[in-house]
Each structure stands twice: as structure tokens, then as C-alpha cells.
Amino acid sequence: QPASTGESHTVSMDSARRGRSMPAARRSGFDYLIVGAGFAGSVLAERLASQANKRVLVIDRRPHIGGNAYDCFDDGGVLMHRYGPHIFHTNAQRIFDYLSKFTRWRPYEHRVLADVDRQLVPIPINQTTINKLYGLDLDEAGVAQFLAGRATALDDIRTSEDVVISQVGQELYEKFFRGYTRKQWGLDPSQLDKAVTARVPTRTNADDRYFGDSFQFMPLHGYTRMFENMLDHPNIRIMVNTDFEDIRNDVHYDHLIYSGPIDEFFDYRFGKLPYRSLRFQHETLDQEWFQPVAVVNYPSQDVPYTRITEYKHLTGQVHGKTSLTYEYPSAEGDPYYPIPREENQVLYKQYRELADKTPNVSFVGRLGTYRYYNMDQVVGQAITLFNKLIDTQNGEAQD
Ligand code: FAD
Ligand code: UDP
């Protein structure tokens, strides 16, 4: 028995515009309209449909589900990520367990090398990095001493520059972080919140994994397959190639969940929230391998891209060809990264306050809540929102 129905759910949308035709349901209309079929939207759709028996319409303006985590086979037959490399990592058992309902996993520990001083050395900076760059043979204690001797003591660590120079000093900061960050964000690290470069640790041992999390995996058959499984429920309808603007006046629903950019939703009323974009240059080479690890970072400002990804390292696919993506940061284009700095948070807060006053709409996800979130954090945020929506509804039912 559906939890709620009613006249207000009538869908008056022209069926020809539906993209995918909707089966003639006895009930029409939706309990929830979800904008965005990425992690935020898909997790909410799955929870609402399967746990609360809600009827859900998920739309996305892109031609596919999965949001930025979308993967597909390219023309050469190599599985690649359309929007840059996505590696799943988390410390949260419950998030790993939740996603495990929709995919099996391939154990994968991410390793990254940086092209510095014409050598490929591990990033995060570790024992091997120091020994290779400086022609040394230090043990762990020796590396700790080496870094302590170079680190700049700071009372107050506020910016992304402070974080790094307080750990490794000016020279290593310039070699690994300053140029990369200026390219990636179009800002100097001194203009960015400390949380940005704090994502990358410094190590004195030889651990060369990019992430320290207890769960590090890739979905065995890719992200898109995982999303297909997540959204495969009779209560869920999906329309791709559909912008919210196209249908906002046609579809009837009780509640809207919006995972697009929050400033766009409010017609940029307080001004544009800055997002950083990327241009992805994909290529397939007629050779088996290109580089020794999945990602090589290029911190130098002499090259315009930040990193090159070679997907077969991530996916484990066996293929005679190999596919790569070069990432060129850009101010224009699709919004990929909220830019963590104080003045942007102030602007976001204005939108947040407006959002809190807007009835029957919930904002979620990296763009909807303007947070530099990883996939696992977005999943956690979406599950929390689901619990809140259901609690609120149960509360209202009891009133
Ligand atoms: P999105 O995936 O952006 O989904 C939002 C969707 O909403 C989009 O598909 C968009 O088309 C749609 N949409 C927006 N507005 C509208 C509208 N008006 N109408 C219709 N549809 C709309 N995280 C990790 O954990 N590990 C990684 O290795 C990792 N690597 C990354 C690499 C890159 C280059 C980038 C950019 C991100 C990476 N992330 C990674 C972060 C990860 O992509 C995000 O945390 C996650 O995908 C966010 O999910 P989301 O649903 O919030 O947003
Ligand atoms: N960073 C850097 N040099 C590197 C790697 C990272 O300066 O070799 C900085 C840069 O500012 C980057 C941030 O650390 O944006 C976070 O890096 P991460 O790899 O987590 O970025 P993402 O994968 O989210 O793009």
C-alpha cells in the first residue's frame, strides 16, 4: 500500500517528452521528484522506494545516471570514467555495507606518483619520496627528523599553504603543492581553506597508498552498473536528458530533492557561488600500458594539466589498448568542485538560510550543499536526509 496518494499527484507532462516511456500506472504522480541521478539522488531514490514505499521520479540533465561517478566503455572497449578517476574509500562500515547491496567489489589500493624534478616519486610525500629526491637512505626516524628540520612552525594553521609548510617546509611545498593547487583551483594555496591540502597526508614511513581508509575498493563491474542496480525498483522512474527547468511546472510531486547547484536553484539571487570546473581530454592508445600507476600528478605550472589517469590500473581490465584522461582545470564549464574558502561559505550561508525557509524542498550532495565531499560522504549525507524525511513524516502522521 503506497504511503501517500492523492489528486495532487497527477502527471500532466506530455508523454512524448518523457524520454523513457512510463508504464501506465494505476497511481499517477510522485511522492518525490529527485533532481540529479548521482550518488546523492540515487541513494535517496533507492531508500525512499525500497524502505518507505514512496513513488519517485529521478531526473538528470545529462544523458546518463551516476553523476560524476559515471563510467562506460569507450570506443576502444576500455572501461573509463567520463568525469575523471573515482576511487571508493571510506572508514564507515555501514556505508560500505550499504553499497555492497548493489555491487561486488574489486580490492584496490590507490597509488599516485608525482612528476617532480624529472622523476616519478610517491605522493603523499613519504620516506621513498625524500630518499629519492635528495639521494638519501634515511630510515623512518631519519625522515621524521629531516622534515622536522624543514617544517615552518606556525601558531595558527588557517590556509592550505599553512598546512603544508608546517609539515614539510617551503621547498617541498613549492615542489608538490603550490603549482598543482594554483592550477587546480586558480588560486594560491594561501587563499584556500586548510581542508583542501589537508586531504593529502605527509608520511615518514614507506606507506605509499593515497588513502589511509580501512575500506578501499572499486565496484567490480563499474559504477554505472552499481547505480543501475540501485535504481532498479518498481517505485522508481528515471528520466535522463531532462533538466529540472523543463519539467518543473509539469510534474506533480509532494517533495523535491535537489542535488544540483543550490545557487542555480534560486536563480543566483545572491550572486554566483564559485565552482571549479575541469576539461577532460580522453585518449585511447594502441599499446598495453602508459604509466606505472593509475594516476600521475604534474605539480609543475609548466604543464597545463594536473594529472593523467590510466584506467586499467583501477578497473583491472585486461585489454591490448589503454585509455587515459588528462585533467585541465578551468573556471568555465560544468561545476565539479565547490571552492573551500571563507567568503564562499558566507555566500553559501545566504542560500542555505533561504533553503531552510523553502518548504517541501531538500538540498543534498556536493553541489546542493556546496561541500567538497567524497562519494562516501555523499552517501552518508543522503542516508541521513532519508532518515530525517521519514522521521518528519512519521511525526506529522502522529500529530
Ligand atoms: P553529482 O555526481 O555531481 O550529481 C549531480 C547530478 O545532478 C549531475 O549528474 C547533474 O547532471 C545533475 N543535475 C544538476 N542540476 C540539474 C538540473 N537542474 N536538472 C537535472 N539534473 C541536474 N570521490 C571519491 O570518493 N573518490 C574519488 O576518487 C573521487 N574522485 C573525483 C574526481 C573528480 C574529477 C571529481 C570531479 C570528483 C571526484 N570525487 C571523488 C567526488 C565525487 O564525484 C562526488 O562526491 C560525488 O559524485 C557527488 O555526488 P552528487 O550526487 O552529490 O553529485
Ligand atoms: N594537491 C597538490 N599536489 C598534489 C596532490 C594534491 O597540491 O600532488 C592539493 C591540491 O590543492 C588538490 C588537493 O591537494 O586540489 C586535494 O587533492 P586530492 O587528490 O584529494 O584532489 P581531488 O582528487 O579531489 O581532485
Side-chain angles (χ1 to χ4, degrees):
Q1 182 66 25
S4 72
T5 54
E7 290 303 313
S8 69
H9 294 121
T10 316
V11 177
S12 57
M13 180 177 33
D14 175 359
S15 61
R17 286 169 52 204
R18 287 177 190 167
R20 212 194 251 193
S21 69
M22 281 187 268
R26 272 204 357 269
R27 299 175 278 140
S28 58
F30 298 93
D31 298 314
Y32 285 87
L33 171 61
I34 301 186
V35 177
F39 268 99
S42 298
V43 168
L44 274 150
E46 187 283 325
R47 291 285 82 187
L48 288 163
S50 78
Q51 302 300 301
N53 199 20
K54 300 294 184 191
R55 290 157 305 131
V56 181
L57 173 62
V58 184
I59 65 165
D60 203 298
R61 60 184 166 204
R62 287 173 170 164
H64 56 73
I65 60 170
N68 286 338
Y70 174 72
D71 54 15
C72 61
F73 289 92
D74 64 18
D75 291 344
V78 181
L79 183 61
M80 55 83 71
H81 298 183
R82 171 90 48 94
Y83 307 99
H86 280 71
I87 297 100
F88 181 76
H89 56 102
T90 190
N91 284 315
Q93 175 87 50
R94 69 184 181 97
I95 288 171
F96 179 70
D97 289 347
Y98 170 69
L99 291 176
S100 301
K101 295 177 204 252
F102 313 107
T103 187
R104 287 159 60 208
W105 300 98
R106 164 176 200 260
Y108 168 77
E109 289 184 324
H110 193 43
R111 289 183 166 77
V112 179
L113 296 171
D115 185 322
V116 170
D117 294 349
R118 290 172 302 284
Q119 294 191 68
L120 292 183
V121 293
I123 172 87
I125 293 170
N126 72 359
Q127 184 183 357
T128 314
T129 314
I130 300 300
N131 284 334
K132 253 188 141 175
L133 272 185
Y134 294 98
L136 299 169
D137 188 22
L138 300 173
D139 60 9
E140 192 173 342
V143 172
Q145 216 175 12
F146 179 94
L147 292 177
R150 293 172 165 242
T152 310
L154 295 174
D155 293 335
D156 187 18
I157 294 175
R158 283 185 311 108
T159 72
S160 269
E161 177 184 56
D162 298 342
V163 171
V164 182
I165 65 165
S166 66
Q167 290 179 16
V168 301
Q170 189 71 25
E171 184 175 284
L172 288 163
Y173 161 70
E174 285 176 18
K175 284 188 195 298
F176 286 87
F177 287 89
R178 193 173 63 185
Y180 188 107
T181 301
R182 284 181 175 177
K183 286 194 288 187
Q184 170 71 13
W185 300 95
L187 294 168
D188 190 78
S190 60
Q191 299 171 292
L192 279 168
D193 192 275
K194 65 181 174 197
V196 176
T197 53
R199 289 167 62 90
V200 184
T202 304
R203 302 203 182 101
T204 50
N205 61 17
D207 183 356
D208 62 348
R209 296 169 312 155
Y210 202 68
F211 307 114
D213 303 57
S214 39
F215 300 92
Q216 306 191 25
F217 290 95
M218 295 292 291
L220 187 60
H221 300 294
Y223 288 95
T224 303
R225 184 75 72 82
M226 182 181 78
F227 279 96
E228 284 167 1
N229 292 336
M230 215 183 259
L231 294 170
D232 180 17
H233 191 284
N235 287 350
I236 301 177
R237 300 280 182 275
I238 305 163
M239 291 167 65
V240 294
N241 291 311
T242 305
D243 197 291
F244 178 53
E245 273 308 311
D246 300 341
I247 63 153
R248 67 185 302 169
N249 298 319
D250 296 332
V251 177
H252 288 229
Y253 51 86
D254 287 346
H255 194 99
L256 176 69
I257 292 174
Y258 191 84
S259 72
I262 187 168
D263 57 337
E264 181 183 333
F265 181 87
F266 290 113
D267 286 330
Y268 310 106
R269 187 176 308 187
F270 306 119
K272 278 199 161 190
L273 272 171
Y275 294 91
R276 193 67 173 159
S277 191
L278 293 170
R279 182 171 64 81
F280 299 102
Q281 183 191 311
H282 302 299
E283 60 185 42
T284 303
L285 303 179
D286 205 359
Q287 64 193 56
E288 199 167 356
W289 293 106
F290 174 74
Q291 61 190 28
V293 289
V295 172
V296 175
N297 285 356
Y298 290 83
S300 163
Q301 285 187 277
D302 298 340
V303 282
Y305 45 85
T306 48
R307 57 187 179 189
I308 304 177
T309 298
E310 183 173 25
Y311 291 103
K312 288 198 303 176
H313 292 286
L314 301 178
T315 60
Q317 187 181 5
V318 178
H319 199 295
K321 296 183 181 184
T322 193
S323 292
L324 316 175
T325 296
Y326 292 68
E327 289 174 51
Y328 294 84
S330 135
E332 307 302 322
D334 280 358
Y336 291 119
Y337 292 85
I339 304 179
R341 57 189 311 217
E342 183 58 31
E343 63 197 69
N344 300 347
Q345 273 311 309
V346 171
L347 181 55
Y348 168 66
K349 247 184 153 174
Q350 286 186 271
Y351 283 109
R352 180 74 255 165
E353 279 162 18
L354 186 57
D356 290 342
K357 285 188 255 163
T358 307
N360 303 321
V361 185
S362 304
F363 293 85
V364 66
R366 186 144 146 154
L367 306 173
T369 61
Y370 201 67
R371 290 203 178 96
Y372 185 4
Y373 267 173
N374 293 325
M375 296 182 280
D376 65 320
Q377 295 171 298
V378 172
V379 173
Q381 187 193 42
I383 291 173
T384 302
L385 174 58
F386 164 73
N387 290 331
K388 199 179 115 201
L389 290 169
I390 294 309
D391 281 355
T392 307
Q393 185 195 296
N394 292 343
E396 281 166 6
Q398 279 164 18
D399 286 345

